[in-house]
Amino acid sequence: MMQRNRPAAGLLAVALLAVALVAAGLTGACGDDSGDGQVSVSLITKNSTNPFFVTMQDGAKQAAAAEGVKLTVAAGKADGDEAGQVQAIEDAIARGDKGILITPNGPGVNPAIKKARDAGLYVIALDTPPDPADTVDITFATDNFKAGELIGKWTAAQLGGKPATIAMLDLFNDKIVSVDYNRDQGFLTGMGIDVKDKKRNGDEAKTGSYSGGTYSIVCNEPTGGAEDGGRTAMERCLTKNPSVNVVYTINEPAAVGAQKALKAAGTQNVLVVSIDGGCDGVKQVKDGLINATSQQYPTKMAELGVKAIKQIATGGEKPKVTGGLDFFDTGVTLVTDKPATGVESIDSTAATSRCWGKS
């Protein structure tokens, strides 16, 4: 009996050793975030159709290849799709990613971001600072208030004291997103119009004085940041007042839609201003469809984000915010072929060589 038990005991010992080795291997896989020594990072954009976010994705892919980072790209189905972004965050946590780069679709994403940070992921917002800003570890973004202020100052200078009849084509009217109110309120501030709550669109006086003369705000309409939304929003504004001569747009796709509505209505001599500065947008400035735009640098945001998470994951220092701001400023430049005195700008030719690249 004793002799028959010895082989059984030996087999049991081998089995236990195998289980121990498998367990050790699994523990090692959790500690090695991609399983092959690479740092894993997720980029989660608002959507994957807007050229701005497509460019950001391309920039992140190039940076990841250069840095030896394993990149996963995800996106909401459309601007405002918080649920899609929450799922992408959950997936990043489950994969054991070291960090997340995200352009938040709204405050509904905040709890998932907190969960990711609690799990040890370093979370960087790109382009759109969350509210509050400390929801993420840091934000790499355009100073969106300054971007709006630049096109506002330019518009006021171009009007030369004429009355301004203004259409405000925003992003949303059913949720509060920092990129939306910062651009809107920055534009009005640049125009010299008194804003009340800088984190709220549409609460300023509808009539009054701007820095050069009198103004009236005809509408605050949502566009969803899309061409179709821009056209519909502009049509609604023209129904309220066909004498609009200034159109502020949240981004260039919305501006293109607005121009189509203006053309269909036969409305001329309208100043259309926007924010993005993409290659298509710069061409629209050159062609006169957009009179001025503030150029951002999404490629730079993505590159800096990928490098920062790689650096942190390998024992390096964490990035710091720009002095006087609660985010890292990636720069903004006014683009127009009709420069205004006192407002620094570059023309469409110069902007073409820089569109969405490094500032």
Side-chain angles (χ1 to χ4, degrees), residues 16-245:
L16 289 172
L17 178 61
V19 170
L21 288 172
V22 170
L26 288 174
T27 303
C30 291
D32 172 14
D33 102 303
S34 69
D36 58 7
Q38 281 185 304
V39 171
S40 294
V41 176
S42 283
L43 170 66
I44 306 169
T45 55
K46 291 182 179 180
N47 62 59
S48 56
T49 55
N50 187 314
F52 183 87
F53 299 120
V54 173
T55 299
M56 182 178 283
Q57 291 171 352
D58 290 343
K61 289 173 185 177
Q62 292 171 11
E67 295 290 325
V69 167
K70 185 176 181 180
L71 181 72
T72 299
V73 174
K77 293 179 181 178
D79 253 306
D81 177 16
E82 294 169 320
Q85 289 196 320
V86 168
Q87 183 59 58
I89 293 169
E90 295 280 0
D91 293 342
I93 296 170
R95 271 193 307 272
D97 287 354
K98 290 297 184 185
I100 293 172
L101 308 173
I102 184 168
T103 57
N105 262 328
V109 180
N110 289 4
I113 291 175
K114 183 181 185 302
K115 183 177 178 181
R117 293 178 69 189
D118 288 345
L121 283 74
Y122 193 84
V123 183
I124 299 175
L126 304 180
D127 176 60
T128 306
D131 192 3
D134 62 2
T135 299
V136 293
D137 288 287
I138 194 170
T139 297
F140 293 156
T142 305
D143 186 335
N144 283 298
F145 188 89
K146 182 179 179 181
E149 195 173 23
L150 284 170
I151 55 173
K153 287 180 178 179
W154 180 89
T155 301
Q158 289 294 325
L159 285 169
K162 295 178 183 177
T165 306
I166 306 167
M168 302 290 294
L169 305 194
D170 296 314
L171 188 58
F172 299 122
N173 65 352
D174 60 347
K175 65 180 66 182
I176 298 172
V177 179
S178 62
V179 67
D180 196 6
Y181 63 69
N182 278 328
R183 292 181 180 188
D184 175 302
Q185 301 290 279
F187 169 77
L188 294 174
T189 299
M191 283 281 292
I193 295 171
D194 183 42
V195 296
K196 294 181 180 178
D197 183 347
K198 286 188 177 181
K199 292 188 176 183
R200 181 180 176 187
N201 291 345
D203 65 342
E204 61 281 335
K206 299 306 175 188
T207 60
S209 297
Y210 74 97
S211 59
T214 60
Y215 78 87
S216 62
I217 296 175
V218 173
C219 58
N220 282 82
E221 289 288 337
T223 66
E227 183 177 322
D228 288 348
R231 181 165 188 163
T232 300
M234 192 69 246
E235 289 169 348
R236 288 175 180 161
C237 292
L238 290 172
T239 299
K240 294 177 181 178
N241 189 333
S243 299
V244 169
N245 64 352

Side-chain angles (χ1 to χ4, degrees), residues 258-269:
Q259 272 289 13
K260 288 184 177 180
L262 290 167
K263 184 177 181 181
T267 305
Q268 298 178 340
N269 301 318

